[in-house]
Amino acid sequence: MARELKNLYIPFLFAIAFLFSLDVSFTFSSFIQSYFESLHLLMEIISVFIAFSIAMQGLTFYKPYASYKIIVFSSVFFTVGIMDLFHALTYEGLPLFGERFTQPSIWFTLLGRMVEAASILTLILLPEKKSKNRAVRQFSFTLVLLSTILITIVISTYSTAFPNLYNSGSFTLIKLILEIIYCLIHIFVLTIIIRAYRRNKRKEGLLVGISSMFLILSSFMMIILGASGDIYGPYILSHFFKIIGYFYYFKAVFLLMSKQPYEKVAELSSNYSRLLNSVVEGIFGIDQSGKVMFINDSACRMLGFRENELIGRTIHKYIHHSIQDESSSLLFTSPDMEEKTMFSVDQWFWRKDGSRFPVEYFTRPIIENGVIVGTVVTFLDVSERKKLEQLQTEQANIEYELEIAASVQETLFSTIEEPQTVDMGFISKSFKKLNGDFYNVIQHNEEILFAIADVCGKGIPAAIQMTMLKFAMESHSDPEKILNKINSYFTKFVYDSSFITMFVGQFNQQNSKFLFSSAGHEPGLHYKPAEDAFIELTTGNPLLGIDSNIKYHRGSITLEKGDLLLFYTDGIIERRNRAIDSNEFIKNFIREMDLNLPAQKFTELLYEKIMDFHQGKVEDDQTILLFKI
């Protein structure tokens, strides 16, 4: 009890403390203003992700005969996620509109919030009951999908006819009234939750209450925004509290639909394992009509029935009802009396709760006076063995895939030729069997083209992506054109959750011009020994694979004799136990080292110093590429 109340008070006190820090946040208003669009987009992406995660739990884990409230609530968050997504897409800097607060953008987010509040209030007020309709999940999600499409079309088409919600740098009275209504709904919900929690002590109710508290604070920030006219600090804080509120919704749904059922299954599985250790086989006898004459405790426990529920009943319709093949009948029907036993594999028995499990069983005849009067069935649950066989098959497939991918990588890297006119050093260490880092160097006449990249993912897909990168470089195009080409292909043909960071450079030995373009990669280091100065090379372009409409641009510098160029992947500097990852230690190492060393020797010594700095800990693939001009 004390621990549960602590779970309630701590987030609330934290929220109050954070609210007091609002004045402090105004001190940094210039910083928030500078990065406002980025912060807003990031928070909207997180909100959309959490909303869709809630919806996917309902779609994936919902079980028939569970409470209809769970599936309806999860379905509603599909609409909430779509509304937040379109709010972000219609915001400043994104393709659909160009104003900071567009009329559709505000209506999308407002309707998403009101749908969420109305749904939680309605579901809390409605009586609790179990769903007996197995199609409730499909019906609920279909209805929500159609409603979402309709709402989106209406807002996109007729939003100009809606009341104005934003004017002259602040929200209108209508917007503020709706925010107050939203806040009052959640205050009412919180009151009901607190009263219910005192009665039933249900943890999921506690989580919904915590969510309502943070959503109240989110709405309160919107009201402050409308009153003060400041769209920076309060607006970001509102989204921050909304994310926390949605996260606690996610925890509540996860507890109801994922964690609790699996915890119960784990508990039953533990008891069932102890049972199998003492009694392995289940045994029952049936007469010629298929009715049970006797059954042992082991069989009852495995099938989930009590003895009196099966004695005298036709067992086929209880545990073997979906098997129509006569060859797998439980009755011993062999006319050959010398054949005393029949063995059946790849069969299934059904339990009382409707679940099924794989079995192997023997059937032996019960013979009286030379006549078969019944059958004894001895069966064994082979679930664990089937799982093990499946895991072994999957593991073999994974190993085969890794071997192919490793072969592709070996072929790619073995074809890289070092330029003859520039001293180059490189080193690449994989964290596991496959290397997620890519590098390539091509010399064409007086130009040296190179690239270094970090590919998200492993296995054959990553190896194929590396092949794509190598092929794109064969065109000998300018760096930014190579990135545009890769990004266009990548966003079109590669799955959404995959991406690439990449740095492409081109050095012209005649005029000493160095052109470069970066796609979300670690900045290159240009060291000028004569001035003992480092220049970080980056163009600020985003990752490859995010948006096909992104156009990558390039930078340009002039190199001098004795200059040093260093490029690396994030595994060189990033470690989980550090809050901030910096390349300053690399700069210091370079200053300390002998610049007269050959590039390869210099690279190897630098890598050794880096490993000493990290105390030998390796957490990712690591690649260094170095050029001495």
Side-chain angles (χ1 to χ4, degrees), residues 58-89:
L59 184 64
T60 305
F61 294 110
Y62 176 72
K63 304 297 182 185
Y65 308 107
S67 172
Y68 71 96
K69 293 184 178 182
I70 304 174
I71 188 63
V72 172
F73 183 72
S74 301
S75 303
V76 165
F77 262 85
F78 176 79
T79 300
V80 174
I82 292 295
M83 295 298 101
D84 279 349
L85 177 62
F86 275 90
H87 167 65
L89 291 176

Side-chain angles (χ1 to χ4, degrees), residues 384-398:
E384 295 302 321
R385 194 178 74 194
K386 292 290 185 183
K387 291 178 182 178
L388 179 60
E389 292 173 354
Q390 182 180 358
L391 288 175
Q392 290 173 338
T393 301
E394 292 175 355
Q395 181 65 28
N397 292 336
I398 292 173

Side-chain angles (χ1 to χ4, degrees), residues 152-205:
T152 304
I153 292 175
V154 169
I155 294 178
S156 301
T157 307
Y158 301 105
S159 62
T160 54
F162 294 173
N164 194 12
L165 301 178
Y166 181 79
N167 187 26
S168 301
S170 62
F171 290 134
T172 63
L173 180 61
I174 295 176
K175 165 66 172 169
L176 294 178
I177 291 174
L178 292 176
E179 286 294 343
I180 292 173
I181 293 173
Y182 176 86
C183 188
L184 292 175
I185 290 175
H186 273 288
I187 291 175
F188 185 60
V189 168
L190 180 59
T191 303
I192 296 175
I193 289 293
I194 293 174
R195 294 178 61 186
Y197 182 74
R198 289 176 178 174
R199 294 194 308 269
N200 53 37
K201 300 297 185 294
R202 294 179 62 177
K203 188 175 180 180
E204 59 271 19

Side-chain angles (χ1 to χ4, degrees), residues 587-603:
K587 297 177 182 178
N588 293 332
F589 289 156
I590 293 175
R591 288 189 176 103
E592 297 170 358
M593 295 176 63
D594 183 3
L595 299 180
N596 295 319
L597 290 173
Q600 185 60 37
K601 182 64 175 178
F602 189 95
T603 303

Side-chain angles (χ1 to χ4, degrees), residues 145-275:
L145 177 62
L146 294 176
S147 302
T148 303
I149 293 174
L150 179 61
I151 293 173
T152 304
I153 292 175
V154 169
I155 294 178
S156 301
T157 307
Y158 301 105
S159 62
T160 54
F162 294 173
N164 194 12
L165 301 178
Y166 181 79
N167 187 26
S168 301
S170 62
F171 290 134
T172 63
L173 180 61
I174 295 176
K175 165 66 172 169
L176 294 178
I177 291 174
L178 292 176
E179 286 294 343
I180 292 173
I181 293 173
Y182 176 86
C183 188
L184 292 175
I185 290 175
H186 273 288
I187 291 175
F188 185 60
V189 168
L190 180 59
T191 303
I192 296 175
I193 289 293
I194 293 174
R195 294 178 61 186
Y197 182 74
R198 289 176 178 174
R199 294 194 308 269
N200 53 37
K201 300 297 185 294
R202 294 179 62 177
K203 188 175 180 180
E204 59 271 19
L206 179 67
L207 294 173
V208 173
I210 294 174
S211 176
S212 289
M213 287 191 297
F214 280 105
L215 292 174
I216 290 169
L217 291 174
S218 173
S219 183
F220 186 63
M221 288 296 101
M222 283 291 184
I223 296 172
I224 291 178
L225 188 155
S228 65
D230 178 14
I231 67 171
Y232 298 109
Y235 197 77
I236 293 300
L237 284 174
S238 175
H239 281 68
F240 175 75
F241 286 131
K242 182 180 76 170
I243 289 172
I244 299 178
Y246 284 5
F247 174 73
Y248 275 99
Y249 274 151
F250 173 84
K251 289 187 67 175
V253 175
F254 176 79
L255 180 66
L256 282 170
M257 306 190 68
S258 306
K259 189 175 181 180
Q260 284 184 349
Y262 281 111
E263 286 178 348
K264 185 174 294 185
V265 169
E267 181 181 355
L268 293 174
S269 177
S270 176
N271 295 333
Y272 188 63
S273 297
R274 288 193 294 269
L275 172 65

Side-chain angles (χ1 to χ4, degrees), residues 316 320 322-331 333 342-349 361 363:
H316 177 81
H320 215 221
S322 297
I323 305 299
Q324 305 297 330
D325 185 3
E326 293 183 359
S327 64
S328 61
S329 171
L330 295 175
L331 289 174
T333 57
M342 295 183 65
F343 180 57
S344 296
V345 297
D346 297 328
Q347 297 295 317
W348 297 89
F349 279 175
Y361 62 82
T363 56

Side-chain angles (χ1 to χ4, degrees), residues 549-564:
N549 296 318
I550 293 175
K551 297 300 180 184
Y552 292 83
H553 57 276
R554 73 183 184 191
S556 174
I557 60 174
T558 300
L559 300 178
E560 299 177 356
K561 185 68 174 178
D563 284 0
L564 184 145

Side-chain angles (χ1 to χ4, degrees), residues 103-137:
Q103 184 79 339
S105 177
I106 302 177
W107 274 107
F108 276 125
T109 187
L110 180 62
L111 284 181
R113 289 159 65 87
M114 297 304 293
V115 166
E116 168 265 316
S119 66
I120 190 64
L121 176 61
T122 303
L123 292 175
I124 286 178
L125 294 177
L126 288 176
E128 182 77 28
K129 63 179 181 179
K130 302 294 183 181
S131 170
K132 297 183 179 179
N133 187 353
R134 291 177 174 267
V136 64
R137 175 175 57 184

